[in-house]
Each structure stands twice: as C-alpha cells, then as structure tokens.
Amino acid sequence: MKLCTLAEGLNLNLTTPDLEISDIASDSRAVSNGCLFAALDNGVDNGNAYIPHAISRGASAVVCKNAEMKKEYPDTVFIETENPNKVFSRMVARFYEGQPRHIAAITGTNGKTSIADFIRQMLVADGKNAASIGTLGLIKNNNAPAAYVNTTPGAITLHKDMQRLVQDGFDYLAIEASSHGICQYRIGGINIEVAGFTNLTQDHLDYHQTMENYYEAKKLLFTDIMAHGGTVVLNADIDIYEDLRNACRKAGHKIISYGRGGDDIRLLSAEPLPHGQNLKVRYFGKEHDLSVPLAGNFQAMNILCALGMAGALSGKPEEMLKYVSNLKGAKGRLQYIGTTAIGGAVYVDYAHTPDALENVISAMRPHTENKLHILFGCGGDRDKTKRPIMGQIAQKEADVAYVADDNPRTENAEDIRQQIMAGCPDAHNIGDREKAIEFAINRLNKGDVLIVAGKGHETGQYINGKILPFNDEEIIKKYL
C-alpha cells in the first residue's frame, strides 16, 4: 500500500508519497523490510528511543512527534505529527480495512465488561452475529473467549481482529474502552456509532496522576474519537453528568440518559431475590417489569446502560427488553460459585477499586441472611492511595474481612497488605491467596455470603514479575 493512501485525509506533509509500505508496526521487534514504524507515546517511555532499532530491522518510514533523527537516517522517510498515536490509529484502520458496520464502545471505571457482554448477548439473542472485545478477550456470539493482555488491545490487534470479524460475517461489535486505550488512541481509527459512560471513581492514578486527568482521558471518546452526530448513553446519576452531557451536545450527539434520575431509561424500583432481582423501569416513556437473574444495584444500572446501547445500535429498543430475563453475568462479575455443606454461599467478583468494592458489598447485603465476608487485596505497581481506602470500606461495610495477595507484581506483597490493613485493622491478614480462601470458606455459617474480590475471571497471579497459574473459581470449588 502506498504511503499517500495510508495518510489520506490526515493532513500530513509527505516527502515521498508514493513510497510502498509492506507492513505497519508500533513494536520495533515486529518491524520488517519496507515497514512503517510508529514511535508512540505509551505514558511510560519515549517511542523515539526505538527508532534506531526499527530502522536497523528495515523500517522505511517512521511516524513520530519529533523527527530529531532525520539527519542521522537520510534514507528513512520521517513523518512528523503532533499526535503520532492518533495518526497511527487512522493509518492502521486504512491498512487493515474492514470493520463491523455497527460498533459500540463503553467506558467508565466500573461496569464496562458486563455491559459489553450484555450488549453482545442481547444482539445474539435477536439473531445477529455479534462480538465483544475487552477484559474477557474477544468473544464471537456465545463462543469461548480468545484472551487479550489488555482491556483495550493495541490498534493493530484491534483492526486485525475486526477485519477477521467482517470476513466471518459479523456486523455488530461492543468494545470496552479503557482510559489508556482512549488517551493512547488505540481505538482512534474505529468507526464508533454508539458510546456509553458508566461512572467515574478512583483508579489508574498511577498513570493519570489526578482524577481530572482521568476524566479528561475518558471524555476524549465522546469529543475526539467518536465521529460527531452519534448516539451516547450516559449515567444521569453521576457528578460529572452535566459536564459530559454538555460536551456531547457540542459534538452533536444524540443523548440517552439512564439511571434513577434518567430521562429516557429510569430505574423506578428494585426488589432483591435470592439470586436476582425484579426491576421496575420506565423505558422511553413506558413502564416495564423486568425479572433479571443478576443481583445488585450496580448490575441493574449495567442492564439499563446495555439496554440503551443495544437498542440504539440495533435500532430496535423495544425488542431488546425481551432478552433481559435471560442475561448471564459476565465471567468473574459477581459470579455465584457454590454453597458450603452448611449453607454459606460463595461469589467471585472483579472489584479492584474502592467504588467497585463498596458496590459489590452493598449489592450482596440484601441477599445475605447472616454475615457478609469479603476477601480482597490490591495489585502491585499500581495506584497505592486506594489501598487504605479499600481497607476502610471493608472494615465498615462487611462483617468479616480477609486481606490476601492479589497481583503483587514486582512489589513486596507484605507491604501492600500492610497498607490495606491500615484501613481495616480487624481484618485477617493471610498473604497466601489459596490459604486465605480455604480459611474464609471454613468460617462460613448458614446464611453467610463470601465474596472473593479483585481477580474475577483471571487465571494467573503476578508475583515477582512472573505469572503463576491461579483461578479463584477453581480454588473455591476445591474447598467447597
């Protein structure tokens, strides 16, 4: 493909527009002869540092913010641009042509995985070929997922997979859009028709530094990545709703609001059941009673958001209501695992932020006859400020708390636990996660509920920089 074709519409100054590009890469190790290499900003290191290696492997063109090496490599075409991430994502979209016709992207601190999964489930139930991409991986229709490393994969992985989806006859796709994936423009070349925003609570401050930066990163989905004139589904109950709605209005988007204060999709009441709930919802002016097999207020909110997004994507909002009663929870999201011989129930959840931990405890409180137990930890090499906050939440909201290792990564696991314990001095500090799970299960009485939080669907544990096999669900079943 010619360089001018890759760069069409991007307003770039091309010195050699007819240069033939054989491949495209953002990892210098993947470069081959005739390849275009992009020196991207990933928030960790300078992409320009990898330019010499890319050229040594045969890169004929380089997209970068600063062409400081231009004189050093006169035979290489340098394409200088203020935002190489954004430009590269558009080039990748052109190189790997083909995207499903209808694409939805969901962002927010919590709920992304469940909502993307619910959208896919509803569309598949309506007879459509639909896929979802996110934390669980790539899921086609109701098939087993193909795993990803990141919630939002890199642009090349995304576009290769979308190209294959089109070839396989998929017209619908729901994507989880993480703050990293948005501000690094991994999804910058995707034609997003519908976008949703769930909530904004503390997470990823190791990367974004402040909550303001975190919010601005997510807002880019609606103001810069999504084409003007789309449809957005926004949570009316969150503090930033007015600001986000105004930004979306300026972008010419049609706005659908949901929540207890939603104008279009409003939750009127929720009645807890043993393993689900009955919802009364006003849906575009009409009241409906919905029985759903998923517990908790946050799941009710996830369902409302998914209804709005699936309805807008399919053009058949009323039809989507029929499929709510058969929704299945996304793997590792308040997933019921089993009950002990004397009647203590055990659930797994991915909650790894203060807000998510508080939500999952409050969600299960109405379903708990006796004591509510929470087992959790915090990841290493991530936001340290949330550790004592999560400890405080566990101390205040649960009846019994256990602090165990999550994914320590390269940090000292004991240090992480001590930082959590500062907020919950009454908790049981048991580092070995399997031993902690065994200990917690053995303490359950009839009517108790245990939530094992933090890792959800994950099948590995990061310790000292290595990934060791570990699956909360399997460990729980072993001791049940």
Side-chain angles (χ1 to χ4, degrees), residues 276-461:
Q277 55 191 317
N278 288 328
L279 308 179
K280 184 178 284 295
V281 175
R282 183 179 297 126
Y283 188 66
F284 299 106
K286 296 181 182 179
E287 291 191 10
H288 299 270
D289 292 311
L290 306 175
S291 179
V292 298
L294 303 163
N297 178 69
F298 72 91
Q299 286 287 42
M301 296 293 282
N302 289 341
I303 290 169
L304 298 192
C305 184
L307 272 171
M309 294 184 71
L313 204 63
S314 66
K316 301 192 295 183
E318 290 290 329
E319 286 290 305
M320 296 301 110
L321 286 167
K322 298 190 303 186
Y323 310 122
V324 169
S325 61
N326 292 320
L327 287 177
K328 295 179 180 178
K331 191 170 181 62
R333 271 63 180 175
L334 205 49
Q335 179 184 354
Y336 170 69
I337 306 300
T339 302
T340 65
I342 59 174
V346 186
Y347 291 77
V348 163
D349 191 76
Y350 191 53
H352 60 281
T353 67
D355 182 67
L357 192 69
E358 187 170 11
N359 282 340
V360 77
I361 293 172
S362 64
M364 290 310 300
R365 181 61 74 181
H367 306 272
T368 305
E369 296 177 17
N370 196 7
K371 291 184 177 181
L372 194 153
H373 303 237
I374 186 77
L375 187 153
F376 73 106
C378 289
D381 304 329
R382 299 292 187 270
D383 181 6
K384 296 181 180 181
T385 64
K386 69 181 182 181
R387 294 170 187 173
I389 298 172
M390 292 177 69
Q392 291 167 6
I393 290 169
Q395 178 93 0
K396 179 182 176 182
E397 303 296 337
D399 299 308
V400 186
Y402 311 87
V403 176
D405 292 342
D406 189 283
N407 291 316
R409 296 185 175 87
T410 63
E411 277 196 69
N412 182 288
E414 176 62 28
D415 290 345
I416 296 173
R417 295 198 308 278
Q418 288 299 336
Q419 291 165 26
I420 299 170
M421 292 292 294
C424 53
D426 296 335
H428 299 275
N429 183 349
I430 307 170
D432 187 298
R433 193 172 180 91
E434 179 169 350
K435 289 181 179 178
I437 289 172
E438 179 186 16
F439 181 78
I441 288 175
N442 287 336
R443 287 173 57 86
L444 293 178
N445 292 311
K446 183 178 181 181
D448 285 359
V449 167
L450 168 64
I451 305 166
V452 178
K455 291 178 59 59
H457 65 285
E458 293 178 359
T459 57
Q461 189 175 24

Side-chain angles (χ1 to χ4, degrees), residues 72 198 280:
E72 190 176 347
T198 61
K280 184 178 284 295

Side-chain angles (χ1 to χ4, degrees), residues 76 105 108 135 149 156 182 186 195 202 208 236 239 266 280 284 326 379 395 429 447:
T76 304
T135 308
V149 174
I156 291 176
I182 296 170
R186 299 176 200 167
Q202 184 174 335
H208 298 289
D239 294 340
R266 176 169 292 193
K280 184 178 284 295
F284 299 106
N326 292 320
Q395 178 93 0
N429 183 349

